[in-house]
């Protein structure tokens, strides 16, 4: 377990470093693969932005919904929605569902071939999730 990395004299959370690395690598590789497909760069940026936003929203929503005991505690009652959004967990499955759905919707809205776009973007997303999972193990939250 290595929750903190010491880089250039600063202490940085290892989960943040791996999440940043995963997002950067996935976005660059996704851009290259979609560009080879012949999609205009402006459309690629919109598709990848939708993928990123959909992944984070899906991860947060499923992370909150999947922990029913966290949402409604029998003694203290329900938690406010604002508290859940700030302190709720993340879910890998929610990120996969949200990212895939948002790419499909964005590709359809922008006139790109949906299935071919998903064929290029989904494997890149799994690479990013694998790097992110290494960050989870380094931080100690997924033992």
């Amino acid at each position: 377990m290595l929750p903190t990395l010491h880089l250039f004299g600063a202490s940085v959370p290892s989960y943040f470093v791996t999440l940043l690395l995963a997002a950067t690598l996935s976005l660059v590789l996704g851009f290259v693969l979609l560009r080879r497909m012949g999609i205009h760069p402006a459309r690629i940026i919109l598709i990848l932005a939708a993928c990123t936003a959909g992944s984070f929203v899906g991860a947060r929503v499923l992370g909150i919904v999947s922990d029913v005991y966290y949402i409604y505690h029998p003694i203290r009652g329900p938690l406010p929605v604002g508290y859940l959004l700030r302190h709720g967990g993340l879910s890998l499955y929610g990120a996969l569902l949200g990212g895939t759905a948002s790419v499909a919707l964005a590709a359809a809205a922008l006139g790109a071939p949906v299935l071919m776009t998903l064929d290029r973007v989904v494997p890149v997303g799994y690479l990013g999730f694998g790097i992110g999972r290494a960050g989870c193990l380094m931080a100690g939250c997924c033992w």
Side-chain angles (χ1 to χ4, degrees), residues 45-101:
I45 291 171
L46 290 173
I47 290 170
L48 294 177
C51 180
T52 303
S55 294
F56 281 111
V57 168
R60 177 62 64 155
V61 168
L62 194 59
I64 291 171
V65 171
S66 65
D67 196 356
V68 176
Y69 190 74
Y70 187 67
I71 295 172
Y72 184 79
H73 192 277
I75 295 172
R76 73 168 164 6
L79 289 172
V81 174
Y83 180 84
L84 291 173
L85 291 176
R86 284 190 312 269
H87 300 288
L90 297 175
S91 167
L92 176 67
Y93 301 115
L96 293 173
L97 291 172
T100 302

Side-chain angles (χ1 to χ4, degrees), residues 13-25 56 90 128-129 131-132 135:
S14 58
Y15 184 71
F16 174 75
V17 172
T18 56
L19 194 62
L20 186 63
L21 176 67
T24 303
L25 184 64
F56 281 111
L90 297 175
F129 291 129
I131 296 170

